[in-house]
Amino acid sequence: MALTKTQYDSIKRRYEEKQTRNMRLLTQRRQQVYAQLPEYRELDASVGATSIAHARLLLDGDDSSLEELKRELASRAERRRILLSQAGYPPDYLEPFYDCADCRDTGYIGSEKCHCFRQLEVTLLYEQSGIQEMIARENFDTLSTAYYEGEDLQRFENAVAISHKFVDEFKKSYQNLLFYGTVGTGKSFLSGCIARELLSQGRAVIYFSASGLFETLARYSFDTKSRETLYNFYKDLYNSDLVIIDDLGTEITNSFVTSQLFSLLNERHLRQKATIISTNLNLEEMRDRYSDRIFSRITSNYSLCKLTGPDIRMYKKRFPGK
């Protein structure tokens, strides 16, 4: 599914707004430092004149002027760092800063779209409002163990630790997670916690309920006019930094669903792209419901987190405020 020109222009405007905002903040910082540290301002102002003077010497045949210029600039840079430090500022206080350091808020790394651009595409192209609303209220900051006790508590705390590790090591290692167990025990909640952390890092995250995912795939697959849309949808599903499939088992399972699920899991495994699945099915039910190939793929390549306990959603409805 390709962006329309209007959607593309909308994303580019967001980057322009980021650049303008951060440049304005940097200018305000510089004016603040100049007002407090006149010597810093003088050092900044002298750099241009010094560079021009040495350039003239170099043109006149003074080959040593370039090395002398480097020494002078290094000395002044060190003096500026000392002045900032003595005034209580961090050493990089007047360095350019970006929302995304990888692309420097341009949206591109070379000729390739940055991961932050890809996430904006995903948000525009696919209905992700569900995950956005969920992670606003359900995240690691709002996580509570108050509803668990005994073995249920141990399982939940273990799943939380694995979730934190998943986020911490996301850039360094290929990982997948399966959250499974009884209804309302925090499986979707933990998926959302991870999604929020990775979204804040600019990672491209695609979230679908299982039923929504396979309905979308079926709609594009059986419409001959949607071949290009289907191709682009596959590209996004296969290449996104993280795909979350929520409530696996709630879809109507048939041969189409089984083949699509295997293709998705297999392609993402081959490309070393992370996937999180949540399901109310137990392992035996998963094995019986899906093919042996799917069951083998999941049990071999996923960290399995079993969650048990009371249905927290039902508990909150019965006892609001607790």
Side-chain angles (χ1 to χ4, degrees), residues 144-160 181-182 184-186 190 305-312:
S144 172
T145 60
Y147 303 100
Y148 305 88
E149 58 184 23
E151 186 178 19
D152 299 334
L153 176 60
Q154 292 178 2
R155 284 175 171 163
F156 183 71
E157 289 178 336
N158 178 64
V160 171
T182 50
T185 49
L190 290 176
C305 298
K306 183 177 182 179
L307 295 172
T308 55
D311 185 336
I312 296 171

Side-chain angles (χ1 to χ4, degrees), residues 45 135 137 183 194 214 282:
I135 64 179
R137 64 179 184 274
V183 175
I194 293 170
F214 297 117
N282 61 40

Side-chain angles (χ1 to χ4, degrees), residues 135-144 164 189 193 196-197:
I135 64 179
R137 64 179 184 274
E138 298 180 355
N139 49 70
F140 283 127
D141 293 335
T142 62
L143 183 149
S144 172
H164 278 296
F189 181 96
C193 289
R196 186 194 190 201
E197 296 301 312

Side-chain angles (χ1 to χ4, degrees), residues 295-309:
F295 185 73
S296 175
R297 180 68 74 218
I298 292 174
T299 54
S300 300
N301 299 303
Y302 285 61
S303 295
L304 308 183
C305 298
K306 183 177 182 179
L307 295 172
T308 55

Side-chain angles (χ1 to χ4, degrees), residues 104-166:
R104 298 190 172 190
D105 293 342
T106 64
Y108 283 82
I109 300 175
S111 61
E112 298 293 323
K113 292 176 182 176
C114 183
H115 53 78
C116 62
F117 192 106
R118 291 292 301 117
Q119 183 55 46
L120 288 172
E121 279 190 310
V122 165
T123 302
L124 283 176
L125 291 172
Y126 308 115
E127 181 51 58
Q128 300 290 284
S129 61
I131 187 69
Q132 295 291 346
E133 292 172 3
M134 181 177 75
I135 64 179
R137 64 179 184 274
E138 298 180 355
N139 49 70
F140 283 127
D141 293 335
T142 62
L143 183 149
S144 172
T145 60
Y147 303 100
Y148 305 88
E149 58 184 23
E151 186 178 19
D152 299 334
L153 176 60
Q154 292 178 2
R155 284 175 171 163
F156 183 71
E157 289 178 336
N158 178 64
V160 171
I162 290 173
S163 298
H164 278 296
K165 181 181 177 183
F166 185 93

Side-chain angles (χ1 to χ4, degrees), residues 5 13 57 72 88 131 143 152 175 217 242 244-245:
K5 183 179 185 304
R13 279 196 300 273
L57 290 173
E72 286 192 35
I131 187 69
L143 183 149
D152 299 334
Q175 313 165 77
L217 283 168
L242 173 65
I244 298 174
I245 306 173

Side-chain angles (χ1 to χ4, degrees), residues 246-282:
D246 196 25
D247 276 339
L248 185 68
T250 57
E251 78 287 349
I252 298 174
T253 308
N254 50 37
S255 59
F256 173 81
V257 166
T258 301
S259 64
Q260 291 294 320
L261 178 59
F262 176 77
S263 295
L264 174 58
L265 301 186
N266 190 56
E267 283 294 332
R268 290 190 62 79
H269 173 63
L270 292 174
R271 299 173 196 221
Q272 301 285 280
K273 296 291 186 179
T275 306
I276 296 177
I277 299 172
S278 72
T279 180
N280 294 329
L281 302 174
N282 61 40

